[in-house]
Amino acid sequence: MTNTKINPHFGSNFEDFLAEEGILEHCTAIAIKRILLSQILEEMKAQQLSKKQWQLK
C-alpha cells in the first residue's frame, strides 16, 4: 500500500486552477500588463528612445 494523495487538479489546466482559486482575472491582468510593457520596451529600443525621451512624446 502506498500513501498517495489524490491531486484534485490532476488533468485540469492552469486557467481552471486559477479560476477555482478566484485569481484568474488578476493573473490575466498582470500578464497583459507585462506583455504590453515588453512590447513598449522593444519598440523604444528599436527607435533608440530612453524612458525620459519617451515620456516627453
Side-chain angles (χ1 to χ4, degrees), residues 28-47:
T28 301
I30 290 172
I32 290 170
K33 288 176 185 179
R34 288 182 179 179
I35 290 168
L36 289 173
L37 177 59
S38 174
Q39 291 174 341
I40 289 170
L41 292 175
E42 281 182 30
E43 187 60 28
M44 286 173 57
K45 186 176 179 180
Q47 293 185 21

Side-chain angles (χ1 to χ4, degrees), residues 1-55:
M1 282 182 101
T2 60
N3 289 335
T4 57
K5 293 183 180 180
I6 297 175
N7 183 345
H9 302 293
F10 184 76
S12 65
N13 67 33
F14 191 59
E15 286 185 4
D16 291 342
F17 168 74
L18 294 175
E20 288 174 13
E21 296 295 316
I23 58 172
L24 177 61
E25 293 82 14
H26 176 72
C27 292
T28 301
I30 290 172
I32 290 170
K33 288 176 185 179
R34 288 182 179 179
I35 290 168
L36 289 173
L37 177 59
S38 174
Q39 291 174 341
I40 289 170
L41 292 175
E42 281 182 30
E43 187 60 28
M44 286 173 57
K45 186 176 179 180
Q47 293 185 21
Q48 299 178 341
L49 292 173
S50 69
K51 289 180 183 178
K52 192 168 195 169
Q53 290 171 320
W54 182 73
Q55 289 174 346

